[in-house]
């Protein structure tokens, strides 16, 4: 015994097959599944290794994140390596994660000796192995990609002669020659081979590094190439000009591509979402190439009866591309290579499944990823057919147009994921975190702005818009135009100005769904329902996402146009699409078409009922003579409305109005209080908020007038006139004209009322037509009365679809529909 090191004397040199394996991303595994689950995994892993070791006659020398195993024969080492990879892959699949192992096998002489029991007790390995073959096998393993088994020439020659002993059929096993390589510290060149199972092994060239690199012939080395390249430059320039090749995939303007899941071989799992979001933003600057949106991909996956959140690997991405008509699949990768971080994108032709070309860029550390992504995207845009000068002019660096903070980009990506799932509160928190991490992250402010606006917090949304505008120059041209279109609303400009901005976006970027949807909604908000329908139609084309939401909106437009059966058909088609969450106006369309029982069922099936939907349903109840039920629901809604004052006041007004329709008694003090409150807050905020609040104030004033409280209105008339004078909103002007004309009619001045109403341009509000009918009746214009009655019967759907002022006029619309439509019209509306 050797008393110094506690080991026995080395044995003589012995020929062995040495196998090194590495479980890739083992640290990431622990982060993903947690310490307890990871401990259970590694216990299962140890049992697996023991079983394979016994089956393939291996001698386990060392074990940590990887294995070092000795075999008498290299064929046993190959059997162990492939079986181990298959088992590890299955264990990962059980846990919903991707697990891969890489391996290197070499045959050579080694020295073995046993450590003493005392040394083993203090943590030493039971057996020590030394010899040149050991680092050789380790270098082979380090060269390998995840899932790859690399062999030295000696191991390949000995194993290939015995491959019939392996349990896989000859046509399943694949061998590949990767040529000659140089290994640091080893003088002779080494031949490197790969072995694996067909369809699972990478069968790709190993990755070079500072410890191993390909042995290229002299004429392919940089020093020799420099001289050759210098002589060829002039000729190359001329030939390139004359014979410039077309892209490998022939692209037409505004073709579509699909972005597959990121293949992340680094120790940073957050790079998956960050790099994917960076590519969406960077490629999104192109007017030439469109990326299928994440929403569209999710819709397509659901139509394919796949999970909406299924990982878009190569095979699945190709399948989605073929289904949606995308011309190329982009396969992004990020990996650590010799101390550098490489970002790459592989372009795949989905029709053939073949890789057309690959672009990559290397950088130092994580901070280089966004710059590398810019480099790769510029090359991609050029190869996909976009002129170089267009790329240079339109492409802004990612750290500028988005953020240089990867954590902020990761939070922004998580916010978008939450939006896709309809988790709006979570999305808002993620976007807020993104701006905390990078206060100059303009995209994250825009995300918050949209959410706050959708939730009715118009003033908060306006503040976020101004924060986004402070970073406007950081945005791409398309996103600047998008922000400008929002600005037309937040600045208090007339709604038509906002519509013009959205129309401009549709003309410059005809495949951008945001332009068409917002243009259609702005037309709808102005009462131009035919224009809204025309603008919504491009959103039903093949590549557009959220077809269910678009069809639902089309149903609303058709209701406003008086096309009840067309609305019902649109809602019915929306029900068949992925992402359908229900729409209260579907039950309205069914009831107006006479199917009241199905209407009730459809509303009860809705799992999420917002306040807008509840108001619409209460209106339907009131139309059907159930005003007491409508009042109860609105009183409950008031208790639940939260901290949006305008919304709470509208709900309270509806509760008062439905209660009055139910029992004929009106709480005049409550109505007066709501009017004073609406007037008091009308000037608060900036941009669109005062216009929105002014419309609410005038609508409450019209309720007051219709309730016979004209003296209350007269006392507040100067204040109301001042609100109208400060606004250039045509609908606000129209409503004020209706209020004044109705006041004249109530005072017995039908002719004066008629003259006032004729001065009001538009006639977009349902109440304008009701007042026109009442004036014509007062003036004895029987023919005009009959025409207007027919019009109102056909437009019963408008009383629900009209969204002016947050449906504050809905109770009056319903009351007038019940009053003005004859018995046949009531039966058509689903009233008992």
């Amino acid at each position: 015994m050797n008393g110094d090191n506690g080991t026995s004397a080395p044995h003589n040199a012995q020929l062995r097959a040495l196998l090194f394996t590495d479980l890739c991303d083992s640290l990431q595994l622990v982060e993903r599944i947690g310490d307890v689950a990871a401990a259970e995994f590694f216990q299962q892993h140890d049992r697996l290794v023991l079983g394979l070791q016994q089956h393939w006659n291996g001698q386990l020398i060392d074990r940590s994140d990887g294995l070092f195993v000795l075999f008498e024969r290299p064929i046993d080492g190959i059997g162990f390596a492939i079986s181990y990879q298959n088992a590890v892959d299955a264990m990962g699949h059980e846990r919903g994660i991707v697990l891969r192992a890489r391996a290197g096998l070499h045959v050579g002489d080694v020295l073995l000796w046993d450590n003493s029991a005392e040394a083993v007790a203090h943590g030493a390995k039971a057996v020590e192995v030394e010899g040149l073959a050991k680092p050789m096998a380790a270098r082979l393993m380090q060269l390998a990609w995840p899932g790859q088994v690399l062999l030295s020439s000696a191991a390949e020659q000995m194993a290939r002669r015995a491959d019939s002993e392996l349990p896989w059929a000859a046509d399943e096993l694949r061998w590949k020659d990767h040529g000659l390589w140089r290994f640091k510290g080893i003088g002779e060149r080494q031949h490197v081979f790969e072995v694996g199972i067909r369809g699972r092994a990478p069968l790709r060239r190993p990755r070079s590094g500072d410890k191993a690199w390909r042995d290229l012939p002299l004429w392919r080395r940089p020093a020799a190439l420099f001289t050759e390249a210098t002589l060829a430059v002039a000729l190359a320039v001329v030939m390139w000009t004359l014979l410039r090749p077309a892209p490998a995939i022939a692209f037409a303007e505004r073709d579509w591509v699909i972005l597959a899941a990121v293949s992340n071989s680094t120790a940073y799992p957050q790079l998956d979402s960050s790099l994917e979001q960076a590519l969406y933003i960077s490629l999104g600057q192109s007017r030439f190439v469109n990326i299928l949106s994440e929403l569209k991909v999710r819709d397509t996956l659901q139509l394919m009866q796949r999970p909406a959140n299924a990982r878009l690997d190569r095979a699945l991405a190709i399948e989605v591309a073929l289904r949606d008509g995308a011309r190329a699949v982009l396969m992004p990768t990020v990996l650590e290579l010799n101390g550098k971080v490489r970002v790459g994108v592989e372009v795949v032709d989905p029709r053939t499944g073949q890789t057309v070309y690959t672009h990559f860029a290397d950088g130092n550390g994580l901070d280089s990823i966004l710059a590398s992504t810019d480099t790769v995207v510029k090359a991609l845009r050029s190869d996909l057919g976009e002129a170089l000068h267009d790329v240079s002019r339109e492409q802004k660096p990612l750290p500028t147009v988005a953020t240089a903070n990867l954590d902020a980009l990761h939070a922004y990506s998580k916010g978008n994921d939450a939006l896709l799932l309809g988790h709006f509160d979570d999305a808002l928190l993620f976007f807020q975190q993104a701006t905390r991490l990078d206060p100059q992250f303009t995209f994250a402010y825009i995300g918050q702005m949209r959410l706050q606006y959708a939730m009715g917090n118009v003033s908060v949304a306006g503040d976020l818009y101004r924060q986004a505008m402070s970073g406007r120059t950081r945005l791409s041209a398309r996103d600047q135009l998008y922000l400008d279109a929002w600005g037309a609303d937040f600045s208090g400009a007339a709604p038509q100005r906002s519509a013009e901005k959205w129309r401009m976006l549709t003309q410059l970027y005809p495949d951008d769904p945001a332009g068409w949807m917002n243009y259609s909604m702005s037309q709808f908000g102005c009462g131009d329902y035919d224009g809204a329908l025309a603008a919504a139609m491009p959103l039903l084309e093949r590549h557009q996402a959220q077809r269910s939401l678009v069809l639902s909106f089309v149903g609303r437009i058709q209701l406003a146009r008086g096309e009840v059966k067309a609305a019902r058909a649109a809602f019915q088609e929306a029900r068949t699409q992925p992402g359908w969450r229900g729409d209260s106006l579907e039950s309205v369309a069914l009831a107006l078409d006479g199917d009241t029982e199905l209407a009730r069922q459809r509303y009860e099936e809705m799992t999420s009922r917002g306040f807008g939907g509840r108001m619409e349903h209460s209106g339907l109840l009131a139309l059907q003579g159930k005003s007491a039920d409508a009042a109860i629901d609105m009183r409950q809604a008031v208790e639940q409305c939260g901290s949006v004052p305008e919304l709470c006041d509208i709900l309270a007004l509806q509760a008062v109005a439905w209660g009055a329709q139910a029992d004929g008694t009106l709480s005049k003090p409550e109505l007066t209080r709501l009017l004073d409150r609406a007037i008091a807050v009308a000037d608060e905020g900036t941009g669109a908020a005062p216009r929105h609040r002014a419309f609410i104030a005038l609508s409450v004033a019209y309720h007051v007038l219709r309730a016979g409280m004209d003296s209350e209105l007269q006392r507040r008339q100067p204040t109301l006139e001042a609100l109208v004078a400060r606004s250039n909103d045509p609908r606000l002007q129209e409503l004020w004209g209706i209020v004044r004309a109705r006041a004249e009619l109530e005072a017995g001045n039908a002719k004066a009322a008629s003259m006032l109403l004729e001065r009001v341009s538009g006639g977009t509000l349902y109440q304008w037509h009701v007042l026109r009918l009442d004036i014509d009746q007062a003036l004895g214009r029987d023919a005009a009365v009959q025409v207007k009655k027919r019009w109102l019967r056909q437009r019963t759907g408008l009383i629900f679809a009209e969204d002016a002022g947050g449906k504050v006029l809905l109770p009056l619309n319903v009351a007038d529909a019940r009053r003005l439509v004859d018995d046949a019209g009531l039966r058509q509306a689903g009233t008992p």
Side-chain angles (χ1 to χ4, degrees), residues 145 202-204 248-249 251 257-263 275 279 283 312-315 317-318 321 327-335 342-350 352-361 373 376-377 379-380 383-384:
W145 294 100
L203 298 176
R204 58 189 293 195
I249 301 178
F251 264 70
V257 299
I258 184 170
L259 188 63
V262 175
S263 176
L275 179 58
L279 286 167
L283 272 171
L312 213 62
D313 59 16
R314 185 188 188 103
I318 288 174
R327 295 299 302 278
V329 174
L330 307 183
M331 304 286 301
T333 60
V334 57
L335 55 93
R342 171 170 291 181
V343 174
V345 175
E346 181 182 350
V347 180
V348 177
D349 186 342
T352 64
Q354 299 298 312
T355 298
V356 183
Y357 39 74
T358 301
H359 291 292
F360 64 86
T373 302
V376 171
V377 168
L380 279 176
D383 276 348
L384 292 176

Side-chain angles (χ1 to χ4, degrees), residues 45-60:
H45 175 267
D46 291 347
R47 292 193 294 271
L48 163 69
V49 171
L50 179 60
L52 290 177
Q53 176 189 341
Q54 293 171 348
H55 180 79
W56 293 103
N57 304 310
Q59 180 182 5
L60 184 62

